[in-house]
Amino acid sequence: RNIFDSRSSVLASLFSILLPEEEIEQAMRAVREAVVRHGSITLKESVADTQFSEDMVKAAFDRLVATGSFAITDVRGFGLAITRS
């Protein structure tokens, strides 16, 4: 068995478990990138476009709003959306 086989390194992420704080940071990064690309994104779109749960994406929305650079709006027919403020 060769523990230095580089072919197995691509599988390492399958076995690493994210801490809750790390998962929120990744969700924030994904939402931030989507807002930069599209100008805004809804909670439902964010959940559909990422591997994160609705609760995790909502937590990311809340944290991004807390930075003062983003705002959440409740858009009739679409639900919560986040935009740059």
Side-chain angles (χ1 to χ4, degrees):
R1 175 179 141 180
N2 182 357
I3 62 170
F4 300 106
D5 189 343
S6 63
R7 294 176 293 176
S8 63
S9 67
V10 296
L11 302 175
S13 65
L14 296 175
F15 302 102
S16 64
I17 298 172
L18 292 176
L19 297 172
E21 187 64 28
E22 293 171 321
E23 192 171 10
I24 290 174
E25 289 292 327
Q26 284 190 357
M28 288 173 64
R29 191 172 316 120
V31 170
R32 188 181 302 112
E33 289 171 0
V35 171
V36 168
R37 278 193 314 271
H38 305 293
S40 67
I41 190 165
T42 66
L43 182 64
K44 289 179 184 179
E45 290 171 329
S46 295
V47 171
D49 290 347
T50 68
Q51 75 275 16
F52 301 106
S53 69
E54 186 170 327
D55 289 339
M56 188 61 62
V57 173
K58 177 67 169 85
F61 274 30
D62 293 339
R63 291 252 186 118
L64 288 167
V65 168
T67 68
S69 298
F70 297 87
I72 294 177
T73 306
D74 193 355
V75 180
R76 180 184 280 176
F78 294 98
L80 296 179
I82 190 166
T83 60
R84 286 188 162 199
S85 55

